[in-house]
Short mmCIF file of all heavy atoms in Angstrom, two decimals:
data_model
loop_
_atom_site.label_atom_id
_atom_site.label_comp_id
_atom_site.label_asym_id
_atom_site.label_seq_id
_atom_site.Cartn_x
_atom_site.Cartn_y
_atom_site.Cartn_z
N THR I 41 -48.18 178.17 -142.43
CA THR I 41 -47.67 179.55 -142.53
C THR I 41 -48.82 180.52 -142.55
O THR I 41 -50.00 180.15 -142.87
CB THR I 41 -46.85 179.76 -143.81
OG1 THR I 41 -47.73 179.59 -144.96
CG2 THR I 41 -45.65 178.83 -143.93
N GLU I 42 -48.51 181.75 -142.23
CA GLU I 42 -49.47 182.87 -142.29
C GLU I 42 -48.71 184.07 -142.82
O GLU I 42 -47.51 184.19 -142.57
CB GLU I 42 -50.04 183.25 -140.96
CG GLU I 42 -50.90 182.24 -140.28
CD GLU I 42 -51.44 182.70 -138.89
OE1 GLU I 42 -51.06 183.79 -138.41
OE2 GLU I 42 -52.18 181.95 -138.35
N GLU I 43 -49.38 184.92 -143.58
CA GLU I 43 -48.81 186.13 -144.08
C GLU I 43 -49.55 187.28 -143.44
O GLU I 43 -50.76 187.22 -143.26
CB GLU I 43 -48.88 186.21 -145.56
CG GLU I 43 -47.93 185.28 -146.25
CD GLU I 43 -47.92 185.46 -147.77
OE1 GLU I 43 -48.13 186.60 -148.23
OE2 GLU I 43 -47.61 184.50 -148.52
N HIS I 44 -48.76 188.31 -143.12
CA HIS I 44 -49.37 189.51 -142.46
C HIS I 44 -48.85 190.76 -143.15
O HIS I 44 -47.69 190.79 -143.63
CB HIS I 44 -49.03 189.57 -140.97
CG HIS I 44 -49.58 188.32 -140.26
ND1 HIS I 44 -50.87 188.33 -139.87
CD2 HIS I 44 -49.03 187.18 -139.94
CE1 HIS I 44 -51.06 187.13 -139.28
NE2 HIS I 44 -49.98 186.41 -139.33
N PRO I 45 -49.66 191.80 -143.23
CA PRO I 45 -49.28 193.01 -143.97
C PRO I 45 -48.19 193.85 -143.40
O PRO I 45 -47.56 194.63 -144.08
CB PRO I 45 -50.60 193.78 -144.04
CG PRO I 45 -51.48 193.26 -142.99
CD PRO I 45 -51.07 191.85 -142.75
N SER I 46 -47.92 193.66 -142.13
CA SER I 46 -46.84 194.42 -141.46
C SER I 46 -46.05 193.56 -140.47
O SER I 46 -46.59 192.56 -139.98
CB SER I 46 -47.40 195.61 -140.77
OG SER I 46 -48.13 195.20 -139.63
N GLU I 47 -44.84 193.97 -140.20
CA GLU I 47 -44.05 193.24 -139.21
C GLU I 47 -44.68 193.31 -137.82
O GLU I 47 -44.66 192.35 -137.05
CB GLU I 47 -42.64 193.87 -139.12
CG GLU I 47 -41.77 193.54 -140.31
CD GLU I 47 -40.35 194.06 -140.14
OE1 GLU I 47 -39.82 194.02 -139.03
OE2 GLU I 47 -39.82 194.54 -141.15
N GLU I 48 -45.33 194.42 -137.51
CA GLU I 48 -45.97 194.56 -136.22
C GLU I 48 -47.12 193.59 -136.05
O GLU I 48 -47.22 192.88 -135.03
CB GLU I 48 -46.49 195.97 -136.05
CG GLU I 48 -47.23 196.17 -134.65
CD GLU I 48 -47.75 197.58 -134.51
OE1 GLU I 48 -47.55 198.43 -135.36
OE2 GLU I 48 -48.46 197.76 -133.49
N GLU I 49 -47.92 193.43 -137.09
CA GLU I 49 -48.99 192.47 -137.03
C GLU I 49 -48.44 191.02 -136.95
O GLU I 49 -49.02 190.13 -136.26
CB GLU I 49 -49.92 192.59 -138.21
CG GLU I 49 -50.74 193.87 -138.16
CD GLU I 49 -51.60 194.05 -139.41
OE1 GLU I 49 -52.57 193.24 -139.57
OE2 GLU I 49 -51.35 195.02 -140.13
N ALA I 50 -47.36 190.74 -137.64
CA ALA I 50 -46.76 189.41 -137.59
C ALA I 50 -46.22 189.12 -136.23
O ALA I 50 -46.40 187.98 -135.73
CB ALA I 50 -45.60 189.36 -138.64
N ARG I 51 -45.59 190.12 -135.56
CA ARG I 51 -45.06 189.88 -134.19
C ARG I 51 -46.24 189.64 -133.23
O ARG I 51 -46.11 188.80 -132.34
CB ARG I 51 -44.23 191.12 -133.80
CG ARG I 51 -42.79 191.03 -134.30
CD ARG I 51 -41.95 192.08 -133.59
NE ARG I 51 -42.37 193.44 -133.86
CZ ARG I 51 -41.97 194.18 -134.88
NH1 ARG I 51 -41.09 193.72 -135.70
NH2 ARG I 51 -42.41 195.38 -135.03
N LEU I 52 -47.31 190.40 -133.39
CA LEU I 52 -48.47 190.17 -132.48
C LEU I 52 -49.05 188.80 -132.66
O LEU I 52 -49.39 188.15 -131.69
CB LEU I 52 -49.54 191.27 -132.77
CG LEU I 52 -49.20 192.69 -132.29
CD1 LEU I 52 -50.27 193.69 -132.78
CD2 LEU I 52 -49.09 192.75 -130.77
N ARG I 53 -49.14 188.32 -133.92
CA ARG I 53 -49.64 186.98 -134.13
C ARG I 53 -48.69 185.95 -133.57
O ARG I 53 -49.14 184.94 -133.02
CB ARG I 53 -49.89 186.82 -135.63
CG ARG I 53 -50.49 185.44 -136.00
CD ARG I 53 -51.83 185.26 -135.44
NE ARG I 53 -52.44 184.01 -136.00
CZ ARG I 53 -53.53 183.45 -135.55
NH1 ARG I 53 -54.19 183.99 -134.57
NH2 ARG I 53 -53.93 182.32 -136.05
N GLU I 54 -47.41 186.12 -133.75
CA GLU I 54 -46.43 185.20 -133.21
C GLU I 54 -46.56 185.14 -131.73
O GLU I 54 -46.50 184.08 -131.13
CB GLU I 54 -45.02 185.68 -133.61
CG GLU I 54 -43.91 184.76 -133.11
CD GLU I 54 -42.53 185.26 -133.51
OE1 GLU I 54 -42.39 186.06 -134.42
OE2 GLU I 54 -41.61 184.78 -132.88
#
Side-chain angles (χ1 to χ4, degrees):
T41 64
E42 293 181 357
E43 290 187 26
H44 298 279
S46 70
E47 286 184 39
E48 181 180 354
E49 290 177 67
R51 278 193 296 270
L52 289 172
R53 182 64 173 169
E54 181 180 342

